[in-house]
Amino acid sequence: MWQHRGIRTGWAAGAALALALVTGCEGLGDDGATASGGGGEAPAGGHAVSPLRNPDGTGPGLAPVGGDSPEAAARKLIEGLKTKGRGPRTGYDRDEFGYAWMDSADGVPLARNGCDTRNDLLRRDGQKLRFRPGSDCVVVAMTLDDPYTGTTIEWRKQKAGEVQIDHVVPLSYSWQMGSSRWPESKREQLANDPLNLLPVQGRANSAKRDSGPASWLPPRKSVRCAYAVRFAQVAVKYELAVTAPDRQAMLRQCGG
């Protein structure tokens, strides 16, 4: 993984802790989806990877975290997060994080590969991919096992809204927790880092808005600890505090 100097020096200790423990949003614009009914949860051991085994976010999906040892590792990670109150939203604008889905954000996996961030994420998490003729980048159809609801979505480009790319730590949340004072290059990293991005059901993402874990958790209960881990991984990497209620809610999802 490429490292941007502005981040590397600041969060090295926290990132080292996170990596030790893991050993062993935004809409789609003119893209869209149609969803199949498929209630219930995605099969265990399928395409998705546990966040404890996916510290850089390059693996697909968000598999549940289960068992005493993994949950203990999750709690240790979450307990290490700093807390503070959520600041004002004054001055927040999506453009402060660069233009959407830029391929040129340094310091994150998959950048500068000739494919925009959005399509990188669809390729990472989707199955049965179909591409626009003449392209190995632009996804026009796929099957997605939505981590937030457990439903299977048969996605097609022609219809919008059923699949969106979620920022696990919302950009507005990060702004209120300190990213308003970052250089724009670091905000661009957060906005395009696959560690912080998941293709999910559009309705679930719209319901989340810019909430922290105390206010919103995935409807699929078995993935809530995994969601808390991913939220914590992003916070550690980017030296972001979370609110005290958010940290407590995250601990509860992992047996704390």
Side-chain angles (χ1 to χ4, degrees), residues 183-200:
E184 186 171 354
S185 59
K186 185 175 177 181
R187 290 196 294 267
E188 289 173 353
Q189 288 177 291
L190 178 67
N192 292 279
D193 192 337
L195 184 67
N196 193 35
L197 296 169
L198 287 170
V200 299

Side-chain angles (χ1 to χ4, degrees), residues 127-207:
Q127 301 179 77
K128 301 178 182 177
L129 299 172
R130 288 170 48 199
F131 296 92
R132 187 171 65 191
S135 172
D136 60 0
C137 167
V138 180
V139 181
V140 297
M142 68 174 187
T143 299
L144 177 71
D145 290 331
D146 172 38
Y148 286 176
T149 65
T151 58
T152 297
I153 300 173
E154 298 298 336
W155 184 84
R156 297 294 182 271
K157 186 179 175 67
Q158 291 86 348
K159 293 185 179 180
E162 286 302 318
V163 169
Q164 297 175 8
I165 307 295
D166 179 42
H167 286 96
V168 177
V169 174
L171 301 184
S172 175
Y173 183 100
S174 81
W175 184 266
Q176 294 174 276
M177 302 305 286
S179 73
S180 59
R181 298 185 294 276
W182 295 354
E184 186 171 354
S185 59
K186 185 175 177 181
R187 290 196 294 267
E188 289 173 353
Q189 288 177 291
L190 178 67
N192 292 279
D193 192 337
L195 184 67
N196 193 35
L197 296 169
L198 287 170
V200 299
Q201 184 198 74
R203 290 189 300 277
N205 188 46
S206 295

Side-chain angles (χ1 to χ4, degrees), residues 45-252:
H47 187 60
V49 178
S50 165
L52 291 174
R53 298 184 179 276
N54 187 22
D56 65 358
T58 56
L62 195 67
V65 171
D68 292 342
S69 180
E71 288 188 354
R75 290 193 299 273
K76 188 173 181 180
L77 174 64
I78 295 164
E79 285 165 355
L81 296 176
K82 295 179 180 179
T83 62
K84 70 174 188 178
R86 195 162 172 170
R89 199 171 182 269
T90 306
Y92 169 76
D93 189 282
R94 175 61 177 84
D95 289 344
E96 295 290 339
F97 294 79
Y99 66 87
W101 314 132
M102 61 194 305
D103 186 39
S104 57
D106 290 330
V108 295
L110 310 181
R112 299 185 185 277
N113 65 355
C115 191
D116 63 82
T117 303
R118 179 185 68 193
N119 279 294
D120 280 336
L121 273 293
L122 297 182
R123 293 192 303 173
R124 185 195 68 183
D125 288 18
Q127 301 179 77
K128 301 178 182 177
L129 299 172
R130 288 170 48 199
F131 296 92
R132 187 171 65 191
S135 172
D136 60 0
C137 167
V138 180
V139 181
V140 297
M142 68 174 187
T143 299
L144 177 71
D145 290 331
D146 172 38
Y148 286 176
T149 65
T151 58
T152 297
I153 300 173
E154 298 298 336
W155 184 84
R156 297 294 182 271
K157 186 179 175 67
Q158 291 86 348
K159 293 185 179 180
E162 286 302 318
V163 169
Q164 297 175 8
I165 307 295
D166 179 42
H167 286 96
V168 177
V169 174
L171 301 184
S172 175
Y173 183 100
S174 81
W175 184 266
Q176 294 174 276
M177 302 305 286
S179 73
S180 59
R181 298 185 294 276
W182 295 354
E184 186 171 354
S185 59
K186 185 175 177 181
R187 290 196 294 267
E188 289 173 353
Q189 288 177 291
L190 178 67
N192 292 279
D193 192 337
L195 184 67
N196 193 35
L197 296 169
L198 287 170
V200 299
Q201 184 198 74
R203 290 189 300 277
N205 188 46
S206 295
K208 173 182 171 179
R209 300 172 64 88
D210 66 350
S211 300
S215 302
W216 186 91
L217 289 164
R220 182 187 178 198
K221 292 182 179 180
S222 69
V223 83
R224 288 178 177 177
C225 179
Y227 177 80
V229 168
R230 178 50 52 82
F231 202 101
Q233 288 173 323
V234 176
V236 167
K237 178 174 180 179
Y238 287 90
E239 288 191 306
L240 280 168
V242 300
T243 69
D246 284 336
R247 186 173 70 175
Q248 189 57 44
M250 294 159 74
L251 286 170
R252 284 197 301 270

